[in-house]
Amino acid sequence: MMAANNYFGFTHGGTQYGAATASAAYGGQTGYAVAPAATAATYGTQRAAATGYDTAYQAAAATQGNLHAAHAHAHAAAAAASAYDASKSAYYQQAAAAYPTAAPPQPQPAYDTTAKPAYSTPATYAQGGARGSGGAKPAYGSVYTATTAAASYPSQPYTAPAAQPAKPLYNAASMYVAQQKTGGGGSGWKNYNKSGVGATPQRRPKPQPKAQQLHYCDVCRISCAGPQTYKEHLEGQKHKKKEAAVKVAAAGGAAGARACGASALRCELCDVTCTGADAYAAHVRGIKHQKVVKLHTMLGKPIPSTEPTKLTPAKKTVAGAPKVSFVASGGLSTVGASSSVPRPADKEDEKVEEEDEPEVQPVGQDYIEEIRGDDGKALSFNCKLCDCKFNDPNAKEMHMKGRRHRLQYKKKVQPDLEVKVKPSMHQRKLAEAKAQRMLVRDELWARRRMHEAGEDDERAYWEGADWWRGPHHHHHHQGMGMGYGPVGRRPETSDDRHVLAKHAEIYPPEQQLQEIQRAVSHTEKALKSLSDALADHARPKNQAGKAVIKTEDKKDDKPEGKEDGRDNQLFSFVGEGEAAPASGDGAGAGGAGGAPVGGPGVRALKGVMRVGLLAKGLLLRGDRDVRLVVLCHDRPTVTLLKRVANDLPHHLNKVKGPNEDAKYKVELQPAEGAVQVSDGTVNVVVSLTSAVMREPAEGGDIKRDDKDVLPRQKCLDALAALRHAKWFQARAASLQSCVIIIRIMRDLCRRIPNWTPLNPYAMELLVSGVMQSASGALSPGEALRRVMEALAGGLILEHGPGLRDPCEKELVDALGNMPAQKREDLTASAQQFLRQIAFRQINKVLDMEPLPKVKHASGGWKFPRKRRRSNTDADQDTHNGDGKVVKTEEKADVSEINSNAKK
Amino acid sequence: MVRGAGRGGRGIPGRGGMGRPPFSRPRVLMLRPPFDLILAEPAFPRCKPAPDDAALTQALLKRHAELCPTPTEQSAVLSIVTKLQTVLDNLVVAPGDFAACQLEEVRQVGSYKKGTMMAGKNVADIVVIMKTLPTKEAVEGLSNKVNEELNKLMRAEGLGNVSSTCHERGFTVTAATAAVRVLVTTLHQNLRKLEPEVHLDYKVISSHLAAIRHSRWFEENAHHSSIKVLIRLLRDMCARHSGLEPLTPWMIDLLAHHCIMNNPARQALPINVAFRRSLSLLAGGLFLPGCAGLPDPCEAAHSRAHTALDLAAQDHAAATAQTLLRVVARGGHRYVLGLQAFEGGKDISTEITVWDGVVVSPLAPAYHDSPEPMDTEDKDDDGIQDGVAA
């Protein structure tokens, strides 16, 4: 551990140190421990001569022999600056060369060669580092520069740390760390000691010689009775704390931290901060101070002036010229001029502040009640602000001038009242804690950000873009390009879940869909077959030649047009052969892909298309009725209808697979202009219509047998249904959530009488309009709510704009025929629903049981909080340590610090 | 320094967290604005002739004329406000021996300042910002001082005496025909020093500060007279229907501003359209939980104006507006506006009424104060948290 500490000391300064020279240098150290015997003797002499600080140097020197010691001292005493420059270069060249060569077995020679030139100040080391003359150099440079910077703090001047030559360089480095500490904060002290002890057991006596006289701890400025106590002290908590505090102070915080207490006085000798002149005087008189003075006298250490040091931020100016101060103090080994002499300005400040004191105006007279006795004489006074009583008017006066009262007054009445604030550690701590919290919070955000990125990825993975597709993944049956599109990553709300659950409930089961699919498919095939038959029947009369081509075409078409038309449910317009032209009318526009070949003798049945629920994909569970619309070339007549009804069963049986047992029953519904194909469970209503029907009925062809033509309105309805289906597929189906909500609304209209009058097409228009007007994609829950909002806001009431039917050329209100009372009831119902949705009763709207709440698995931020905390704790300690530099003499309130740290 | 090194080493800035703003919270529910027919115009083109709203417009204007304070009232208020302002300004500039409190600033706020005073309510509002903390004693001292000074002024002009009474918001100076509420508040930085037993209530104090912000916002944004007309009409309507009573003047201000100005053309809408729109928005859940509502321009981001209402009040207000909307749709605007009382003194917002054979029935409340609260909080909380987090 100690060796490790040693390493730490170096790597701290510059990590790249090790590789190049570690082995050699370390070897040097081991060799260095060979001559422990000499230590005791040399120590004595050195002690006597030197100021006693540079034990390590002496230890090092001792191992080298007296010669080196002499060198060192000569150097230290004379501060032979003249030699520096010359030696510098020499040293570095040599040192660079010597490092690798300074092999463990021959420490002495190697040392000797390097010894002399190496007697340069640490500053030269730093320069050497800058020069980078060897692999090891940069590392040294960093170490040394660090130390020089730190060394500018010393309150106790340091004798020139005559740098040891190549071999003990490590030692020197650790020494510098030690200096840091002695000089005003550094971590090296312990390291130094430990390295001394740990690296070579023989070196253990090293602190001992010092202890022969006094076991003096430089950090705590106390002496210990014996080596044992000294060691214990060094390992003790108090010492460590102080050490840490000093280290922090040295690291740069010192000036700032100390400067906090503006009016604090400081005893340099004891490193004690007093809050006032009185306290300082008391301290100086005190036994503790006296003890330290005595001790320092004994040690021959400089005793700073008894003038208190006024703590001001200006102190840190010293740091500006490390080299100078280092050399100077080293050379002179006198009092650090910069730190211990109080500044005149400080004194003035102090005076000004002291003068302030007596001019306190009593405040808050209004808040002191007089409690009068029966005779009207004031018996006692009650201060409402401070909640205290006095019997004496003088006490009252005093109270009104008192700090406590003024503080209360400031707090409760006049916040800008100036109250002399005691330089309180508490406040400082609060400020520190706050800063700390800010830091922690920043870091927290940083972590969150990081975490968030991870979480999002994860969520994207699990929820994906289609998190609500689950319930109706088999949707492709409807063949509607649902086009949900990319769904925003919004959390699924409870409303969404309810809507989706309801949707899953009302969605038709697979089997039902298949049945419908089959029946429709058969009917379509049969119709096509029928159409072919009709066409063939008609053709011989007209153009026999063309028939061949046409049939061929037909065959070509079959695989694509027919089969595709059936399976690809996008448009179930089954092109009836080659000539399935979209008639000129808007209804047929964009119909089958086949080019309109239509000649004079085109077939009577041009095509069939799925309309209504089937085409829109709005089938619900239990829906049995689907509609097909057959486009005829000419006005569909009853005769044609009858013929279709008669022939269809035959064709149905033809197209039906041999092993399919479906029994189709065809029923003629002349009033509806349709035939109904039923297989028992599914009813397919086939309406006949023609685009021609839209032309003015009273126009040209009126002469035609009107009686025979199917009811005009029914035909128009069928045409409208075609358009609606196309509109739906083009506009509504692509809107986010629209189809889901329309299904939900269909269910609502089926269930609730108030809603029944809302015709399906109007409802579709309404919902799609509401979705369309939303600024972005809506989740199902939001979509349903928005529909309710629209209705509740009176969209369909009389003064509303009406629902414009986009499938009509004229302005037609799709809801035009709704009676007022129905509108009223529907609106009222929607209003109630809206509020129920708002108050989390969407289940009532949907007529279902409330779903249990989801447990949000990812409730909080899941990161290793514990570890985080401990990290911040560590930081907190150092921060509070800052405060303790000032607070040295006070009993360290460990518990308080801890509690701060917890915050 | 140690931290910096340690942190840099871990490479936190990586991992793509940079793409988004640092404070985005992934789980924020984005609340949506309600359906608004005016804004949804393109999706619902009018396909039937616009209703003849002349009657409604006439009724609205007539009612507004009734609600406007008369010139005498206005001058009475003006007179006392001016004097009070003088007195308070003097106290700000030269407090002299007045030591009960120090005044920072005096500002007129509220309906008087906004120009939305209603007839018969000759109460102006003035906010006094104290530099000192507003203790009850300070308020009392100020009240006495103001009373004394104001009476001096009044006597000088040969006018009647004024009296001043303290209450929990400050004090009210009452003259013969008008009154001024002096609302006491303190500097913003003093807010957290307030103690409930010593000072005026924190909420009151901060609401007075908010009132200053509100009148400033109003001055800058809502000076259009259509807005003022609509505000008077809505305030009157809200005052007469119990469900809408909890709506604060500030909410009404925001609503009126929204209804008049927030449309694609950014031109003031006609008053009849705006009136219908306001009812329709309220009925459409503008002030219900889970709705974006109206953002409060005078508070921190994400705060919604209507969250000041409790849930039951939100429900009740929406239900009332919904009923009134249907009544207006049936041509009952005269009763809604208060131009005439309904036959038999019926409250149209709570009782079944019949209009030309169409039955309009009030709605049952949806909010139940159930022991296990209906999760509406988290919807609300999200809104509130947003405010806090931002």
Side-chain angles (χ1 to χ4, degrees):
Chain A
M1 174 231 179
M2 298 173 184
N5 266 346
N6 234 348
Y7 268 126
F8 172 75
F10 303 135
T11 51
H12 200 61
T15 41
Q16 71 269 50
Y17 183 96
T21 57
S23 60
Y26 234 72
Q29 223 181 13
T30 51
Y32 174 14
V34 175
T39 49
T42 48
Y43 268 115
T45 56
Q46 284 163 6
R47 272 310 131 212
T51 51
Y53 263 94
D54 45 352
T55 50
Y57 292 95
Q58 287 149 13
T63 59
Q64 310 300 343
N66 282 333
L67 200 124
H68 292 286
H71 273 299
H73 285 283
H75 192 85
S82 60
Y84 283 173
D85 286 339
S87 63
K88 248 189 273 175
S89 56
Y91 166 69
Y92 279 111
Q93 284 150 9
Q94 282 177 334
Y99 272 3
T101 56
Q106 297 109 343
Q108 290 278 18
Y111 184 63
D112 275 339
T113 54
T114 57
K116 274 181 194 167
Y119 281 129
S120 53
T121 64
T124 56
Y125 280 96
Q127 284 175 344
R131 283 164 59 185
S133 55
K137 285 295 148 51
Y140 283 156
S142 64
V143 169
Y144 282 77
T145 44
T147 59
T148 47
S152 59
Y153 286 107
S155 55
Q156 306 293 337
Y158 201 87
T159 45
Q164 293 303 308
K167 186 181 65 183
L169 256 179
Y170 278 141
N171 225 343
S174 69
M175 278 318 296
Y176 286 134
V177 179
Q179 287 166 28
Q180 270 184 349
K181 190 213 67 201
T182 55
S187 60
W189 185 238
K190 190 165 53 181
N191 290 343
Y192 159 62
N193 270 323
K194 286 180 176 167
S195 73
V197 173
T200 63
Q202 290 92 337
R203 276 213 287 160
R204 189 173 205 150
K206 194 176 54 170
Q208 275 180 357
K210 202 169 133 196
Q212 281 167 357
Q213 291 173 311
L214 265 174
H215 297 271
Y216 178 73
C217 171
D218 231 325
V219 181
C220 310
R221 292 159 206 249
I222 54 163
S223 62
C224 295
Q228 189 60 35
T229 42
Y230 181 60
K231 212 178 124 207
E232 275 166 12
H233 166 73
L234 286 186
E235 281 160 13
Q237 210 173 8
K238 198 172 171 190
H239 172 79
K240 281 182 180 160
K241 270 211 181 113
K242 276 198 182 163
E243 198 173 42
V246 166
K247 184 170 143 197
V248 169
R258 288 182 185 182
C260 293
S263 66
L265 299 173
R266 200 174 128 78
C267 173
E268 281 297 328
L269 192 61
C270 311
D271 194 18
V272 165
T273 309
C274 302
T275 51
D278 293 347
Y280 181 78
H283 165 74
V284 170
R285 267 181 271 123
I287 188 161
K288 205 155 184 178
H289 180 78
Q290 297 300 336
K291 250 186 176 171
V292 176
V293 169
K294 207 174 121 198
L295 181 64
H296 276 229
T297 325
M298 262 170 71
L299 282 170
K301 289 200 188 188
I303 297 170
S305 125
T306 49
E307 287 288 322
T309 305
K310 183 81 185 303
L311 290 177
T312 58
K315 229 182 140 187
K316 66 181 161 198
T317 50
V318 193
K323 190 174 169 183
V324 172
S325 88
F326 198 88
V327 172
S329 63
L332 300 172
S333 66
T334 52
V335 175
S338 56
S339 55
S340 55
V341 179
R343 290 151 190 278
D346 295 349
K347 275 187 188 166
E348 278 164 25
D349 285 351
E350 210 171 300
K351 268 181 199 146
V352 169
E353 270 171 35
E354 276 165 6
E355 278 161 12
D356 277 348
E357 292 277 2
E359 300 173 4
V360 174
Q361 290 294 326
V363 290
Q365 180 85 49
D366 300 349
Y367 297 90
I368 296 190
E369 292 178 320
E370 289 185 11
I371 300 171
R372 291 177 188 280
D374 300 332
D375 53 351
K377 227 173 76 181
L379 281 184
S380 65
F381 303 92
N382 179 25
C383 176
K384 280 195 274 183
L385 290 177
C386 314
D387 195 21
C388 54
K389 286 189 178 175
F390 333 93
N391 295 325
D392 184 11
N394 289 333
K396 186 196 81 174
E397 288 299 315
M398 288 298 289
H399 173 76
M400 278 163 60
K401 287 182 189 174
R403 240 176 69 84
R404 192 164 69 109
H405 179 75
R406 288 178 70 86
L407 273 176
Q408 286 293 323
Y409 190 78
K410 177 185 166 77
K411 194 174 155 207
K412 292 178 180 168
V413 179
Q414 190 182 351
D416 52 350
L417 179 74
E418 285 212 5
V419 179
K420 238 179 98 77
V421 186
K422 253 197 263 177
S424 118
M425 280 313 295
H426 182 62
Q427 283 170 353
R428 192 170 310 158
K429 249 185 224 146
L430 283 182
E432 265 163 25
K434 197 174 164 192
Q436 185 66 25
R437 275 200 301 277
M438 293 298 283
L439 266 175
V440 170
R441 209 177 65 183
D442 284 354
E443 197 157 332
L444 204 70
W445 279 115
R447 291 185 70 83
R448 275 197 182 185
R449 233 174 321 175
M450 184 176 75
H451 186 74
E452 198 172 276
E455 198 193 47
D456 278 356
D457 291 348
E458 201 181 323
R459 199 139 36 92
Y461 177 77
W462 288 112
E463 298 179 1
D466 50 359
W467 48 272
W468 67 49
R469 285 198 186 175
H472 49 275
H473 55 275
H474 44 267
H475 194 76
H476 52 83
H477 267 281
Q478 298 307 108
M480 309 292 311
M482 272 308 157
Y484 287 115
V487 172
R489 268 189 218 156
R490 206 169 289 119
E492 198 176 12
T493 61
S494 159
D495 288 356
D496 292 343
R497 290 189 301 115
H498 278 93
V499 171
L500 291 177
K502 181 67 180 177
H503 181 251
E505 193 186 300
I506 60 175
Y507 194 82
E510 191 76 2
Q511 199 211 344
Q512 186 192 337
L513 285 173
Q514 274 170 1
E515 281 170 5
I516 293 173
Q517 198 66 42
R518 195 182 58 219
V520 170
S521 168
H522 284 165
T523 310
E524 283 171 343
K525 284 181 191 165
L527 283 170
K528 176 171 174 52
S529 161
L530 176 67
S531 168
D532 291 348
L534 285 176
D536 288 344
H537 183 70
R539 197 168 294 122
K541 294 177 199 161
N542 297 339
Q543 308 140 305
K546 218 176 179 182
V548 185
I549 309 164
K550 280 186 178 173
T551 39
E552 271 174 17
D553 281 354
K554 209 189 299 169
K555 269 168 190 141
D556 287 346
D557 276 358
K558 256 185 188 171
E560 304 147 27
K562 197 167 171 184
E563 251 72 47
D564 283 1
R566 201 159 292 161
D567 298 334
N568 155 25
Q569 284 93 0
L570 266 178
F571 287 90
S572 296
F573 197 110
V574 179
E576 288 290 310
E578 72 295 340
S583 61
D585 190 84
V597 193
V602 262
R603 55 179 66 204
L605 303 180
K606 293 198 298 186
V608 62
M609 184 177 165
R610 301 171 183 194
V611 296
L613 304 177
L614 185 59
K616 295 171 185 171
L618 298 176
L619 286 170
L620 296 186
R621 182 183 291 265
D623 278 334
R624 296 285 174 217
D625 302 311
V626 293
R627 279 187 80 188
L628 295 178
V629 168
V630 173
L631 274 178
C632 304
H633 177 250
D634 207 347
R635 289 164 197 271
T637 56
V638 180
T639 326
L640 182 62
L641 190 66
K642 277 184 182 154
R643 174 142 193 208
V644 168
N646 286 336
D647 290 359
L648 202 54
H650 166 69
H651 290 282
L652 272 171
N653 284 332
K654 211 166 70 183
V655 296
K656 188 172 71 176
N659 46 2
E660 285 176 283
D661 54 350
K663 275 265 184 216
Y664 289 105
K665 205 173 72 186
V666 179
E667 201 181 311
L668 181 66
Q669 293 176 328
E672 297 292 316
V675 289
Q676 179 176 321
V677 179
S678 164
D679 72 343
T681 50
V682 181
N683 303 319
V684 184
V685 175
V686 183
S687 309
L688 266 57
T689 188
S690 168
V692 195
M693 293 300 281
R694 270 173 81 84
E695 282 153 23
E698 53 280 344
D701 299 75
I702 247 182
K703 61 182 186 288
R704 276 219 175 186
D705 40 355
D706 274 339
K707 289 263 173 61
D708 197 29
V709 174
L710 291 175
R712 179 178 147 82
Q713 190 53 46
K714 295 296 166 194
C715 292
L716 290 182
D717 285 352
L719 280 178
L722 269 179
R723 293 193 300 273
H724 294 172
K726 284 184 176 161
W727 165 82
F728 189 90
Q729 287 160 7
R731 307 301 301 275
S734 58
L735 287 170
Q736 189 88 54
S737 299
C738 192
V739 179
I740 294 179
I741 296 304
I742 291 175
R743 288 198 195 107
I744 296 278
M745 294 292 288
R746 264 204 72 207
D747 173 66
L748 207 68
C749 294
R750 277 203 314 203
R751 275 190 294 118
I752 302 170
N754 276 350
W755 289 71
T756 320
L758 188 61
N759 75 59
Y761 178 56
M763 186 267 287
E764 287 156 21
L765 283 176
L766 173 81
V767 173
S768 75
V770 169
M771 303 292 129
Q772 200 188 321
S773 64
S775 46
L778 296 170
S779 79
E782 288 170 337
L784 182 62
R785 180 174 172 148
R786 191 170 166 86
V787 171
M788 292 302 169
E789 282 170 352
L791 288 172
L795 183 66
I796 59 164
L797 288 180
E798 269 75 10
H799 61 82
L803 287 169
R804 160 103 205 254
D805 186 345
C807 299
E808 303 294 336
K809 276 180 198 147
E810 308 85 45
L811 286 178
V812 174
D813 186 357
L815 211 54
N817 52 1
M818 198 171 179
Q821 181 68 57
K822 305 273 184 211
R823 290 173 188 264
E824 157 72 25
D825 292 346
L826 181 53
T827 303
S829 170
Q831 291 174 338
Q832 190 71 18
F833 284 164
L834 170 64
R835 281 178 300 117
Q836 283 174 339
I837 292 173
F839 291 103
R840 287 283 162 113
Q841 299 161 45
I842 196 170
N843 57 301
K844 290 186 184 166
V845 178
L846 298 173
D847 188 27
M848 62 192 286
E849 286 300 306
L851 296 176
K853 277 190 193 175
V854 235
K855 297 259 186 317
H856 279 289
S858 47
W861 301 99
K862 289 169 289 179
F863 50 81
R865 179 142 224 170
K866 190 120 191 272
R867 233 176 79 210
R868 198 61 229 140
R869 277 272 163 80
S870 63
N871 276 0
T872 57
D873 274 2
D875 285 335
Q876 196 95 33
D877 277 348
T878 57
H879 270 256
N880 281 320
D882 255 357
K884 249 185 292 158
V885 177
V886 187
K887 205 190 174 183
T888 24
E889 208 55 16
E890 290 174 39
K891 184 97 178 171
D893 192 349
V894 177
S895 64
E896 195 187 340
I897 288 167
N898 285 348
S899 69
N900 271 351
K902 295 267 157 55
K903 272 176 214 163
Chain B
M1 306 124 246
V2 178
R3 293 186 68 88
R7 221 155 35 139
R10 253 180 286 138
I12 278 178
R15 297 216 50 197
M18 303 272 99
R20 58 175 70 214
F23 288 92
S24 82
R25 304 189 318 152
R27 293 226 171 258
V28 166
L29 279 180
M30 282 290 292
L31 296 175
R32 299 202 163 267
F35 179 83
D36 187 341
L37 190 53
I38 303 293
L39 300 178
E41 192 83 58
F44 291 98
R46 181 163 281 281
C47 66
K48 55 186 190 186
D52 180 16
D53 256 2
L56 176 63
T57 314
Q58 286 307 315
L60 287 167
L61 293 179
K62 180 157 180 263
R63 183 64 185 160
H64 178 250
E66 289 175 19
L67 292 172
C68 265
T70 60
T72 16
E73 283 178 314
Q74 279 176 329
S75 61
V77 176
L78 179 65
S79 142
I80 187 167
V81 168
T82 321
K83 289 193 186 66
L84 187 59
Q85 180 86 41
T86 319
V87 168
L88 289 171
D89 281 344
N90 283 342
L91 283 178
V92 172
V93 177
D97 59 344
F98 176 65
C101 56
Q102 297 172 21
L103 303 187
E104 169 76 18
E105 205 179 345
V106 176
R107 274 176 185 266
Q108 297 173 8
V109 297
S111 54
Y112 172 76
K113 171 75 174 169
K114 295 172 187 167
T116 58
M117 284 199 96
M118 313 261 290
K121 291 182 186 164
N122 299 327
V123 184
D125 297 291
I126 286 186
V127 168
V128 168
I129 309 175
M130 289 188 176
K131 228 185 283 184
T132 53
L133 293 177
T135 58
K136 282 152 193 158
E137 286 81 7
V139 172
E140 212 177 309
L142 182 64
S143 164
N144 293 336
K145 179 76 178 173
V146 165
N147 198 16
E148 180 190 322
E149 296 285 324
L150 200 56
N151 272 324
K152 268 188 221 164
L153 270 180
M154 298 290 272
R155 270 197 294 277
E157 291 189 28
L159 296 165
N161 268 1
V162 297
S163 63
S164 156
T165 45
C166 288
H167 47 81
E168 75 278 3
R169 304 179 75 92
F171 56 95
T172 305
V173 179
T174 320
T177 50
V180 181
R181 276 196 301 177
V182 179
L183 309 170
V184 173
T185 187
T186 184
L187 293 175
H188 206 267
Q189 62 266 30
N190 292 345
L191 278 184
R192 58 186 181 81
K193 295 173 186 153
L194 297 175
E195 288 171 23
E197 67 274 12
V198 184
H199 306 116
L200 298 190
D201 188 46
Y202 174 86
K203 280 194 173 164
V204 169
I205 298 276
S206 45
S207 76
H208 293 164
L209 282 179
I212 295 175
R213 295 196 293 274
H214 295 169
S215 28
R216 279 191 55 191
W217 175 86
F218 196 90
E219 248 180 312
E220 287 161 16
N221 296 285
H223 44 71
H224 198 285
S225 39
S226 286
I227 298 175
K228 294 176 184 173
V229 171
L230 187 57
I231 288 174
R232 281 205 186 90
L233 292 167
L234 290 178
R235 281 176 67 176
D236 172 64
M237 184 183 80
C238 292
R240 275 180 303 95
H241 297 103
S242 62
L244 295 173
E245 238 174 340
L247 297 189
T248 62
W250 176 233
M251 293 177 200
I252 293 173
D253 289 355
L254 288 175
L255 178 65
H257 173 258
H258 178 85
C259 290
I260 297 272
M261 297 308 289
N262 190 4
N263 57 70
R266 297 275 156 199
Q267 293 300 315
L269 289 179
I271 188 74
N272 57 329
V273 177
F275 179 75
R276 281 190 196 279
R277 186 186 189 192
S278 57
L279 266 185
S280 155
L281 280 176
L282 285 177
L286 183 73
F287 286 171
L288 282 181
C291 180
L294 295 174
D296 192 332
C298 297
E299 298 297 330
H302 298 301
S303 85
R304 298 175 286 164
H306 69 274
T307 42
L309 299 175
D310 62 34
L311 294 175
Q314 291 180 16
D315 187 28
H316 197 188
T320 307
Q322 289 171 342
T323 310
L324 292 181
L325 173 77
R326 285 176 289 129
V327 169
V328 171
R330 296 267 78 79
H333 51 261
R334 293 182 65 80
Y335 307 103
V336 171
L337 288 173
L339 275 171
Q340 65 190 84
F342 199 74
E343 296 82 21
K346 265 188 179 179
D347 182 353
I348 46 170
S349 66
T350 53
E351 286 175 71
I352 295 178
T353 47
V354 181
W355 311 84
D356 298 339
V358 174
V359 180
V360 175
S361 39
L363 299 165
Y367 176 76
H368 304 293
D369 205 2
S370 52
E372 199 241 337
M374 291 172 298
D375 311 354
T376 32
E377 301 81 277
D378 64 356
K379 275 185 169 180
D380 266 4
D381 283 355
D382 275 309
I384 291 159
Q385 277 168 11
D386 285 351
V388 172

